Amino acid sequence: MKVEMPVEPLKPADFASDQEVRWCPGCGDYAILAQVKKTLPGLGIPKEKIVFISGIGCSSRFPYYMNTYGFHSIHGRAMAVASGLKIARPDLNVWVVTGDGDGLSIGGNHLLHAIRRNIDMTVLLFNNRIYGLTKGQYSPTSEVGKRTKTSPRGSVDFPLHPLSVAIGAEASFVARALDVDLKHLGYVLERAAKHKGTSFVEIYQNCNIFNDGAYSYATDKGTKHDTRLILEHGKPLIFGKDREKGIRLNCTDPEIVTLGDGISEDDLLFHDEKAAEPSLAYLLTRMHHPNFPEAFGVFRAVERPCYEYVLDEMSDSTPPPQGAEDAEIDALLNSGDTWVVD
Amino acid sequence: MATSTAPTSKRTMVERKEHATVTIRFCGDSGDGMQLAGTQFTNSSSIFGNDVATLPDFPAEIRAPAGSLPGVSGFQINFSSHEIHTPGDRVDTMVAMNPAALKTNYKDVVPGGIILVNEDAFSKTNLQKAGLDVSPLEDATLRDYHVYKLPMGKLTTEAASGFGLSNKGVNRCKNFFALGVICWLYERPLAPIESWINSKMGRTPAVADANTATLRAGWNYCDTIELFPHAYRVAKAKIAPGTYRKITGNEATAIGLATAARRAGKELFIGSYPITPATTILETLAAMPQMGVKTFQAEDEIAAMCSTVGAAFAGACAVTSTSGPGLALKGEAMGLAVMTELPMVIVNVQRGGPSTGLPTKTEQSDYLQAMWGRNGECPMPVLAACTPSDCFEMAVEAMRIAVQYMTPVILLTDGYLANGSEPWKIPKSSSLPRFDVVHPTNSNGEAFLPYKRNERGARPWAIPGTKGLEHRIGGLEKQAETGNVNYDPDNHQRMICERADKVAKVADSIPDLKIDGNPDAELLVVGWGSTYGAITTAVERANKRGQKVAHVHLRYLNPMPKNTEDVMKRFKKVIVPEMNMGQLIIKLRSDFLIDAKGINKVQGKPFLVSDIEAAIESALGEG
Ligand code: SF4
């Protein structure tokens, strides 16, 4: 990426816009906003080169709170707007902020296609498993049986899992973080921002108004060690308060094992985020509470050509100097079979 | 360049009758290569020096069953020794390659006209496929015509064998046999066609040679066997000097857009989704990376529109192309473009609707959609090209208006313009407008106001990457000047008016409406879009006959030229032919309170000149 280094290092506060932040008090979005502002200075990209693009939903207010270029577009279409912007201007650093409704329901199609094209941008999907802005209807990630205003007897919709979808769409970077685990969130954001290609990050985000406690299993002190597994590249999959449990592959299925009693770390599944084939990363996205601990961190980070850079190479994108375009246009107009009438 | 004379006939006795204008139609199965034969005949005629106008008529299905009625494909060309504006109402000479083509087309031939058939295709099975019990070659069906039955299959086999092609490959050459016959009949030069064959098929010499041999065989066959009692000649037209090329509407649109971007000193971004009949715009632009064109084939129409909005925000000359159903899908994002006041062009190549409708047929039924087919008060400039080559000029105009007024602009064309072709006198780049695109580079130490308007009502086009001008835009209502989200009632009204005023101000930059025909007439014919050729010809003929008729053609539909009301009110009677059920007329009647009468045709086909002449006749006849 062609970026100039800023003269003075930026601070998180430099990224705050003059707009009052209007999420509900206690909303998980605040923590994510703060962490993004903390991450940006470290990237060394001038803020005028950064663009935040969103769709519609609580999370999509995000660009208004960033003192960068921003575009609060329409419902579900952030990925498409961002794709056009990034293709036209490969020099920009582009972030998409979306939610489970915006990104996976109305905007599902665009999400798949931007990911498969591997357009170099960082996509943050705030997953709160509910429609917040419209005041509490079930979303594509809500669990079956969820009672909401549009599913008074329990939702009959089978949910989908954002990271499984992203891998199915050939994502080159897939990660998951938790709104309240600031340090780990910061690590994931930085990794995502530095990855070249579409970086897809699912952030578990608590909507304390309409779906409070959706992730309490992963945040409560008492349970979090058994329900979360932090991924580290090249390391075995270990979790538990005393790191006493691990994930082993039994045929093609993961299984929880306790270390000791003849089972050593070497018997466990080792995490390889750079694996060429995404099968094991996909398997990790299928581990769900309560049967398994849920994985956090970078599931997959592989190199693959980015649509907009390849296209840019193919096209002669620098306009000729002022006045010199005449010859170029005349050549275009006179292309094909011509004849002269005198 | 190819020479523009026909091969010399060995027949010394051949008499050539002069005609001023001739209309020919090639028709056959969609696998018979009729579009190619028609296009090559057009090229040859253009290069020979005639004025030409064409009308391809594609079947909706790519491969309907061979020999069936829905599989018939046609190509009509009108060529003349004077200026012409339409592909012709009635056909003088028709080539029919099979029974289905003959059945669906023969009625368009003028009584006494020529029908050439490939008699080898009139087998029992083929007759059945066309729903015919008796061959029309054997009963009285064609008694009003001069019918020539040629064993084209057999003759092609003789001509094209010996080059090593398969039977199927040999059989594929027969469109060139038909073309050779027609070229002999109308004294067309073969050289441009042969050089085309060599350039397109040269990589497989056997194919190129077989086709060339078949073309010549068709020509020689006529020359040798005295098939026709006489031949014809259509002299060169008096055409303004210059360099010409043949151009279709979609080619002209694509070239116009690429040119406009360069005149604005920018690169062109096109985000589109393939849709008939707009696809060739995307294809043509995809072949221009050397002009800095970036093509993005999006996953759907919505993404195409949204990517265009994103590219416009990024500072590119942004474009999307589509047809009616696609425009419907783009509606919401077009509203976003209006709200964010970003420059871009939306090309809508209209086709028969509603829904999937008639994808390959023409119609003008998206005027209302273009004007008002979005939620909220959502005005944008709407332009309409009136001939294939006018698509070039209007594409340039659409981009000019977009960047000068910071607004999305709709350019309406239609299937008839998109695929129809005519000779185009190529303009010089230096004669084309240059646009003043200025991106602000700083805010002089003050807070940047992204919605502060200039004298045109346009907001500044500040693009990402510009230090100090970081700002946020979006689909929520904007506060005047600051562009911050704002729900204040008075502000909303103000912004709606400002957006509307800006579009209205475009009228300051467009030419007045020009009256053709007789300006002192009682009757005015008002047209827009592709009806131009038929109306122009009908009005010319009416005035020649001594009737008094005027014609205006609207290329700027929103806003209209400033003198439009004046012009409309000058005439006692106004008729408005449209290929819809009466759409523009709603606007004319409501804005100008005139008693305009609609002439409406929705058959997926353009107006015939005679349709308009009849309408003029009846309008003048009514007291
Ligand atoms: S509704 Fe939920 S997600 Fe939306 S701002 Fe409030 S707490 Fe956050």
Side-chain angles (χ1 to χ4, degrees):
Chain A
M1 229 166 17
K2 309 156 236 169
V3 289
E4 311 134 31
M5 297 301 284
V7 188
E8 274 182 45
L10 293 161
K11 298 177 290 299
D14 293 328
F15 287 96
S17 77
D18 60 354
Q19 298 294 296
E20 186 192 344
V21 184
R22 296 216 186 143
W23 288 308
C24 304
C27 175
D29 291 359
Y30 284 93
I32 307 171
L33 177 65
Q35 209 54 46
V36 169
K37 284 185 198 159
K38 266 193 199 162
T39 305
L40 290 176
L43 301 178
I45 299 168
K47 65 185 164 77
E48 66 270 17
K49 287 272 191 180
I50 299 174
V51 188
F52 276 84
I53 298 180
S54 63
I56 295 292
C58 292
S59 58
S60 287
R61 292 302 181 92
F62 201 97
Y64 289 123
Y65 308 138
M66 298 296 299
N67 189 20
T68 62
Y69 283 89
F71 203 143
H72 178 214
S73 76
I74 44 176
H75 203 14
R77 319 301 173 202
M79 298 297 275
V81 173
S83 298
L85 177 124
K86 182 71 170 147
I87 291 166
R89 288 282 303 281
D91 61 311
L92 298 173
N93 179 257
V94 178
W95 296 67
V96 170
V97 180
T98 183
D100 40 318
D102 188 60
L104 291 169
S105 191
I106 187 165
N109 195 30
H110 311 306
L111 188 89
L112 297 182
H113 294 281
I115 289 176
R116 85 177 155 84
R117 295 183 185 113
N118 201 30
I119 295 178
D120 187 12
M121 55 192 180
T122 305
V123 182
L124 309 181
L125 186 139
F126 296 12
N127 185 3
N128 56 17
R129 295 190 178 159
I130 197 81
Y131 285 123
L133 192 69
T134 49
K135 302 191 173 70
Q137 302 78 29
Y138 65 94
S139 90
T141 56
S142 295
E143 57 281 13
V144 171
K146 188 171 200 73
R147 286 175 194 273
T148 71
K149 286 175 207 157
T150 50
S151 55
R153 293 187 174 186
S155 165
V156 292
D157 254 8
F158 197 81
L160 49 72
H161 301 286
L163 298 189
S164 305
V165 172
I167 287 179
E170 307 291 340
S172 66
F173 184 98
V174 176
R176 182 188 283 144
L178 184 62
D179 55 1
V180 294
D181 187 350
L182 297 180
K183 208 171 144 222
H184 186 256
L185 172 62
Y187 163 77
V188 168
L189 289 175
E190 193 185 331
R191 286 285 312 275
K194 288 184 171 165
H195 174 76
K196 195 172 162 188
T198 306
S199 310
F200 184 80
V201 183
E202 176 188 25
I203 304 175
Y204 282 1
Q205 174 246 325
N206 193 38
C207 168
N208 56 311
I209 303 294
F210 296 110
N211 199 17
D212 196 22
Y215 301 110
S216 54
Y217 60 90
T219 54
D220 284 359
K221 277 206 177 73
T223 53
K224 69 178 187 184
H225 297 293
D226 293 327
T227 56
R228 285 166 64 187
L229 187 158
I230 306 295
L231 297 171
E232 286 178 86
H233 179 60
K235 303 267 173 69
L237 302 180
I238 297 178
F239 66 107
K241 195 160 193 308
D242 302 314
R243 296 182 60 77
E244 76 284 10
K245 289 180 278 190
I247 301 289
R248 181 172 75 175
L249 205 55
N250 178 2
C251 216
T252 56
D253 295 324
E255 65 176 357
I256 298 172
V257 291
T258 306
L259 291 165
D261 260 353
I263 297 177
S264 76
E265 286 192 5
D266 287 345
D267 298 316
L268 300 181
L269 196 55
F270 277 65
H271 181 47
D272 178 7
E273 61 184 37
K274 296 187 173 19
E277 272 305 310
S279 318
L280 286 177
Y282 181 76
L283 179 136
L284 296 176
T285 71
R286 307 299 298 166
M287 299 199 312
H288 300 301
H289 179 75
N291 297 335
F292 285 97
E294 294 186 341
F296 290 83
V298 178
F299 288 58
R300 178 165 169 78
V302 294
E303 290 280 321
R304 178 154 83 71
C306 300
Y307 182 100
E308 74 277 29
Y309 302 136
V310 178
L311 192 73
D312 200 45
E313 289 280 300
M314 280 183 189
S315 76
D316 189 354
S317 55
T318 333
Q322 269 265 294
E325 81 277 9
D326 278 359
E328 197 186 27
I329 294 173
D330 284 329
L332 170 70
L333 301 185
N334 288 279
S335 56
D337 286 338
T338 63
W339 67 94
V340 178
V341 174
D342 355 77
Chain B
M1 217 192 69
T3 55
S4 57
T5 45
T8 328
S9 175
K10 289 193 269 312
R11 273 172 69 186
T12 43
M13 295 305 287
V14 63
E15 179 205 352
R16 287 207 177 263
K17 290 192 172 178
E18 288 277 345
H19 278 291
T21 304
V22 170
T23 300
I24 286 179
R25 187 183 293 169
F26 293 91
C27 55
D29 189 66
S30 51
D32 281 340
M34 293 295 97
Q35 301 300 323
L36 200 151
T39 314
Q40 288 312 308
F41 188 85
T42 309
N43 283 349
S44 182
S45 298
S46 305
I47 291 172
F48 174 75
N50 294 128
D51 196 9
V52 300
T54 70
L55 174 67
D57 184 21
F58 308 110
E61 291 142 77
I62 301 275
R63 279 280 184 266
S68 68
L69 297 173
V72 173
S73 168
F75 190 102
Q76 183 167 319
I77 159 175
N78 188 13
F79 57 107
S80 174
S81 60
H82 57 78
E83 202 186 345
I84 46 168
H85 308 286
T86 77
D89 280 12
R90 306 295 300 273
V91 175
D92 298 304
T93 295
M94 187 176 91
V95 174
M97 299 300 280
N98 70 6
L102 181 67
K103 182 178 173 183
T104 47
N105 286 277
Y106 81 88
K107 283 187 184 145
D108 294 336
V109 179
V110 287
I114 295 175
I115 297 179
L116 283 165
V117 294
N118 170 21
E119 67 172 348
D120 291 344
F122 282 67
S123 64
K124 205 160 180 203
T125 347
N126 280 349
L127 289 167
Q128 266 166 5
K129 281 184 194 161
L132 293 164
D133 296 328
V134 185
S135 169
L137 303 180
E138 270 137 43
D139 64 10
T141 312
L142 304 175
R143 66 169 164 232
D144 292 340
Y145 310 101
H146 293 293
V147 180
Y148 296 93
K149 295 179 263 186
L150 273 64
M152 292 193 209
K154 195 170 131 262
L155 294 168
T156 299
T157 307
E158 280 164 17
S161 300
F163 295 95
L165 299 188
S166 65
N167 285 348
K168 208 172 146 199
V170 166
N171 191 40
R172 275 229 196 100
C173 298
K174 68 178 182 293
N175 54 340
F176 279 97
F177 190 90
L179 185 57
V181 170
I182 293 290
C183 284
W184 182 88
L185 196 56
Y186 288 98
E187 204 182 22
R188 304 286 97 178
L190 297 184
I193 303 170
E194 291 178 0
S195 80
W196 180 88
I197 291 174
N198 285 331
S199 74
K200 288 284 157 179
M201 308 173 185
R203 259 192 279 162
T204 34
V207 176
D209 293 346
N211 280 301
T212 306
T214 311
L215 175 73
R216 288 186 190 166
W219 202 94
N220 292 332
Y221 182 73
C222 299
D223 203 44
T224 314
I225 72 150
E226 305 193 7
L227 180 66
F228 302 104
H230 41 70
Y232 301 91
R233 171 171 293 147
V234 177
K236 292 181 186 192
K238 279 193 196 69
I239 295 172
T243 306
Y244 284 78
R245 66 186 278 183
K246 191 198 66 168
I247 198 149
T248 66
N250 276 358
E251 282 166 358
T253 302
I255 292 175
L257 293 168
T259 301
R262 276 308 196 224
R263 294 302 280 178
K266 294 203 150 281
E267 53 179 84
L268 186 76
F269 171 93
I270 175 165
S272 279
Y273 186 73
I275 182 170
T276 304
T279 310
T280 47
I281 296 175
L282 175 63
E283 288 173 352
T284 306
L285 285 169
M288 293 185 199
Q290 80 286 358
M291 288 287 288
V293 177
K294 282 186 177 170
T295 28
F296 174 56
Q297 182 175 308
E299 57 272 20
D300 59 29
E301 293 282 355
I302 296 171
M305 188 66 235
C306 289
S307 66
T308 303
V309 173
F313 182 52
C317 275
V319 177
T320 184
S321 54
T322 190
S323 185
L327 194 72
L329 285 164
K330 290 180 193 295
E332 188 198 10
M334 288 166 70
L336 178 67
V338 166
M339 201 61 149
T340 52
E341 303 192 35
L342 288 167
M344 68 200 75
V345 176
I346 299 119
V347 181
N348 178 22
V349 185
Q350 301 167 93
R351 68 189 214 189
S355 186
T356 311
L358 305 172
T360 57
K361 310 290 175 192
T362 196
E363 210 159 275
Q364 292 182 305
S365 44
D366 294 342
Y367 167 81
L368 295 175
Q369 186 183 202
M371 289 291 289
W372 294 292
R374 297 168 290 281
N375 65 303
E377 294 291 338
C378 197
M380 57 178 77
V382 181
L383 313 185
C386 64
T387 67
S389 64
D390 190 46
C391 292
F392 174 83
E393 204 169 309
M394 293 320 269
V396 175
E397 268 294 86
M399 187 64 82
R400 174 191 68 81
I401 292 169
V403 297
Q404 287 183 345
Y405 289 85
M406 289 293 284
T407 177
V409 176
I410 296 179
L411 171 60
L412 293 176
T413 71
D414 61 33
Y416 172 44
L417 294 179
N419 295 315
S421 63
E422 62 181 357
W424 178 47
K425 187 172 169 223
I426 303 169
K428 285 259 176 301
S429 172
S430 49
S431 69
L432 301 169
R434 193 190 297 279
F435 320 138
D436 45 347
V437 177
V438 182
H439 298 298
T441 50
N442 64 62
S443 57
N444 300 318
E446 287 162 31
F448 175 58
L449 295 172
Y451 276 73
K452 193 173 162 68
R453 298 175 189 283
N454 66 12
E455 68 291 350
R456 288 190 180 120
R459 72 180 195 88
W461 192 5
I463 58 172
T466 319
K467 197 177 166 83
L469 302 188
E470 293 87 356
H471 65 282
R472 275 66 56 195
I473 57 171
L476 288 169
E477 182 58 286
K478 302 278 167 288
Q479 187 178 44
E481 306 213 336
T482 67
N484 288 331
V485 174
N486 190 291
Y487 301 126
D488 176 69
D490 291 339
N491 178 75
H492 180 50
Q493 178 135 13
R494 174 178 168 183
M495 290 302 278
I496 283 182
C497 293
E498 284 187 5
R499 288 188 286 263
D501 285 350
K502 180 177 75 170
V503 172
K505 278 195 176 123
V506 170
D508 295 339
S509 74
I510 64 176
D512 268 354
L513 198 53
K514 170 172 128 308
I515 303 174
D516 290 331
N518 185 341
D520 301 319
E522 265 192 14
L523 175 66
L524 175 69
V525 186
V526 180
W528 67 279
S530 71
T531 54
Y532 177 82
I535 297 176
T536 301
T537 311
V539 169
E540 272 173 16
R541 286 187 197 167
N543 283 313
K544 247 184 221 156
R545 274 198 299 270
Q547 292 170 320
K548 289 183 180 154
V549 189
H551 169 209
V552 291
H553 218 78
L554 285 160
R555 295 154 84 219
Y556 299 84
L557 300 175
N558 191 42
M560 292 188 193
K562 286 181 166 173
N563 66 336
T564 307
E565 180 163 13
D566 269 9
V567 169
M568 300 282 161
K569 291 201 162 154
R570 222 187 280 175
F571 298 88
K572 207 170 138 212
K573 292 177 184 168
V574 176
I575 58 170
V576 187
E578 295 183 80
M579 293 188 290
N580 58 42
M581 291 303 284
Q583 298 201 0
L584 177 74
I585 197 170
I586 295 175
K587 175 85 172 154
L588 298 178
R589 292 177 67 119
S590 84
D591 278 18
F592 308 133
L593 299 173
I594 52 170
D595 185 19
K597 298 240 173 351
I599 310 296
N600 305 101
K601 179 171 180 177
V602 276
Q603 299 175 354
K605 288 180 182 178
F607 278 104
L608 299 178
V609 176
S610 56
D611 296 333
I612 310 287
E613 286 183 285
I616 290 172
E617 199 74 47
S618 100
L620 288 173
E622 289 163 10

